[in-house]
Amino acid sequence: MTEILHGAEGVARGVELLRAGGLVAFGTETVYGLGADATNGEAVARIFAAKGRPSFNPLICHVADAATAWRYVEPNTLAQKLAARFWPGPLTMVLPCRPGAGVSSLAAAGLPTLAVRVPAHPGALALLRALGGPVAAPSANRSGRVSPTSAAHVLADLDGRIDAVLDSGPCWVGVESTVLDLTTGTPVLLRPGGASVEALEEVVGPISRATDTSDAPASPGMLLSHYAPALPVRLNATFVQPDEALLAFGPPLPGAALVFQLSARGDLTEAAARLFEGLHVLDVPGVVRVAVMPLPETGLGLAINDRLRRAAAALPPPPVL
Ligand code: TXA
Ligand code: MG
């Protein structure tokens, strides 16, 4: 059953559950987040399972302060100015991920960037300080439902599906954070939210809207198409060719040049946690294609297969001879 946590004792219990790979919902000034230790791939996979998300969107990593954020992403001058002015607060910055910093590749959905934010809610900050590391947290609702702004909303949607909710009272902003991409020259607004564009522009100058041009993504989730493995992907493989690498699920098919095991025991949570790492690891010279063994279309299998189908569809055009 889902524990309801309060106060300092609740924060301590929440940290204990997060360290053990559990799911803890907590209030922020925007909406309640569904948190997991961002460095634990299986814990992050459980977020998607609990939300019933049919695909993997990149998640925001919540940290206690800017110094902690810069351990996981590379800030530039604009990011540092924004952090000084808007953190803690409802601003999320997308920045280049520091390789090897330890955030699970599933949290960033395999992207080379990471979204970071320092929330302003004292309960959330207490939890993040006590943990000392990043917490991946989308809004704490089932996929397709409205974002929760109280612990009661969270329980109405997720009771029994998550380990605990830290009841930190109502959220005072009530809409999600503003998401700003700072990886290109001009900052790009990926999602309007709690920090107004006007206030942000006072600090960083003109911000371009993702909807300004026809080739810009209509929604941040569509940025996922920016990440596609360089190699073609062949789904539902029942055999492997010698020049193919194998993404295995359960006992591997014989004959592959290189094998990455998603889950030897056929566990979908483990497979989800290892998916993006696998696509990177297999992307080496000499391999012409990745053959993927079939995964069940149930639970997290839906999201894994969705991602693999996108990878299979996102092939570069054939060379013109
Ligand atoms: O207010 C909020 O931001 C809440 C609270 C819990 O902090 N969280 C939240 O998370 O709304 P979520 O996962 O529902 O939304 C994350 C947004 C999505 O639009 C996602 O596409 C975008 O941030 N995002 C995350 N990582 C990204 C990345 N690396 N590149 C581009 N967009 C990213
Ligand atoms: Mg949401």
Side-chain angles (χ1 to χ4, degrees):
M1 274 301 97
T2 299
E3 297 176 35
I4 303 172
L5 311 175
H6 297 274
E9 259 174 48
V11 167
R13 175 68 181 143
V15 168
E16 186 175 71
L17 289 166
L18 287 172
R19 289 218 170 103
L23 297 184
V24 178
F26 60 97
T28 79
E29 75 280 25
T30 59
V31 300
Y32 272 68
L34 178 54
D37 174 357
T39 66
N40 178 335
E42 291 195 32
V44 175
R46 281 187 206 111
I47 292 179
F48 293 101
K51 283 183 68 92
R53 267 207 188 171
S55 65
F56 296 129
N57 294 330
L59 303 176
I60 296 170
C61 282
H62 298 70
V63 290
D65 48 42
T68 310
W70 308 154
R71 293 200 330 240
Y72 301 97
V73 293
E74 290 165 26
N76 49 35
T77 313
L78 290 186
Q80 272 157 341
K81 278 193 198 168
L82 286 167
R85 170 73 178 77
F86 289 94
W87 281 353
L91 172 66
T92 294
M93 295 194 243
V94 173
L95 288 162
C97 196
R98 284 192 197 278
V103 169
S104 136
S105 58
L106 183 60
L111 294 166
T113 57
L114 189 67
V116 288
R117 139 168 150 83
V118 178
H121 196 292
L125 284 172
L127 187 76
L128 294 167
R129 277 194 202 109
L131 183 72
V135 169
S139 50
N141 51 284
R142 297 282 288 269
S143 188
R145 312 250 182 107
V146 293
S147 295
T149 50
S150 72
H153 292 168
V154 175
L155 288 169
D157 236 18
L158 294 171
D159 194 7
R161 298 175 71 88
I162 62 176
D163 296 291
V165 55
L166 181 62
D167 185 350
S168 2
C171 307
W172 63 86
V173 174
V175 294
E176 285 93 343
S177 62
T178 303
V179 181
L180 202 58
D181 183 351
L182 291 159
T183 59
T184 54
T186 308
V188 180
L189 180 71
L190 297 180
R191 179 178 76 181
S196 80
V197 174
E198 293 81 355
L200 295 169
E201 285 186 328
E202 278 176 26
V203 176
V204 296
I207 292 173
S208 62
R209 274 62 164 175
T211 47
D212 274 358
T213 59
S214 56
D215 62 346
S219 78
M222 290 181 67
L223 283 179
L224 281 175
S225 59
H226 286 199
Y227 174 72
L231 289 176
V233 172
R234 184 166 67 83
L235 301 178
N236 293 316
T238 51
F239 62 91
V240 191
Q241 285 163 352
D243 52 0
E244 287 181 329
L246 178 70
L247 202 55
F249 183 73
L253 294 167
L258 186 64
V259 177
F260 186 91
Q261 179 59 267
L262 287 174
S263 173
R265 60 179 197 271
D267 179 275
L268 287 167
T269 305
E270 186 184 22
R274 292 170 57 73
L275 174 65
F276 292 103
E277 192 198 337
L279 289 173
H280 281 291
V281 165
L282 296 181
D283 196 352
V284 294
V287 169
V288 303
R289 205 178 300 106
V290 177
V292 185
M293 289 174 64
L295 287 105
E297 283 278 348
T298 54
L300 281 179
L302 275 185
I304 297 171
N305 285 322
D306 168 84
R307 196 63 201 84
L308 287 169
R309 272 192 291 271
R310 289 179 199 224
L315 297 185
V320 181
L321 297 175

Coordinates of all heavy atoms in Angstrom, one line a residue, residues 7 10 92 146 186 197 233 236 253 308 314 321:
G7 N 6.1 15.7 7.3 CA 7.1 16.4 8.1 C 8.5 15.8 7.9 O 8.8 15.1 7.0
G10 N 8.8 12.1 7.7 CA 8.3 11.7 6.4 C 9.4 11.9 5.3 O 9.6 11.0 4.5
T92 N 12.8 24.9 -15.7 CA 13.6 23.7 -16.0 C 14.5 24.1 -17.2 O 14.1 24.6 -18.2 CB 12.7 22.5 -16.4 OG1 11.9 22.2 -15.3 CG2 13.4 21.3 -16.9
V146 N -5.0 14.6 -15.5 CA -4.5 15.9 -15.2 C -3.5 15.8 -14.1 O -3.5 14.9 -13.3 CB -5.6 16.9 -14.8 CG1 -6.6 17.2 -15.9 CG2 -6.4 16.4 -13.6
T186 N 20.5 30.5 -29.3 CA 19.3 31.2 -28.7 C 18.5 30.3 -27.9 O 18.2 29.2 -28.3 CB 18.4 31.8 -29.8 OG1 19.3 32.5 -30.7 CG2 17.3 32.7 -29.3
V197 N 7.7 34.0 -19.8 CA 8.7 34.2 -20.8 C 9.3 35.6 -20.7 O 10.5 35.9 -20.9 CB 8.1 34.0 -22.2 CG1 9.1 34.4 -23.3 CG2 7.7 32.5 -22.4
V233 N 17.6 -0.6 -37.2 CA 17.1 -1.6 -36.2 C 16.1 -2.5 -36.9 O 15.2 -2.1 -37.6 CB 16.4 -0.8 -35.1 CG1 15.7 -1.7 -34.1 CG2 17.4 0.1 -34.3
N236 N 11.6 -7.8 -33.8 CA 11.1 -9.2 -33.8 C 12.0 -10.2 -34.4 O 11.5 -11.1 -35.1 CB 9.7 -9.2 -34.4 CG 8.7 -8.4 -33.5 OD1 8.7 -8.5 -32.3 ND2 7.9 -7.6 -34.2
L253 N 19.6 -15.3 -29.1 CA 19.7 -16.0 -30.3 C 21.2 -16.2 -30.7 O 22.0 -15.3 -30.3 CB 19.0 -15.2 -31.5 CG 17.5 -15.1 -31.4 CD1 17.1 -14.0 -32.4 CD2 16.8 -16.4 -31.6
L308 N 11.5 1.3 -29.7 CA 12.2 0.6 -30.8 C 11.6 0.7 -32.1 O 12.3 0.8 -33.1 CB 12.2 -0.9 -30.4 CG 13.2 -1.2 -29.2 CD1 12.9 -2.7 -28.7 CD2 14.6 -1.1 -29.6
A314 N 13.1 5.6 -37.9 CA 13.9 6.8 -38.1 C 15.2 6.5 -38.8 O 16.2 7.0 -38.5 CB 14.2 7.4 -36.7
L321 N 23.4 6.9 -55.1 CA 24.6 6.3 -55.8 C 24.8 7.0 -57.1 O 23.9 7.5 -57.7 CB 24.4 4.8 -55.9 CG 24.4 4.0 -54.6 CD1 24.1 2.5 -54.9 CD2 25.6 4.2 -53.8

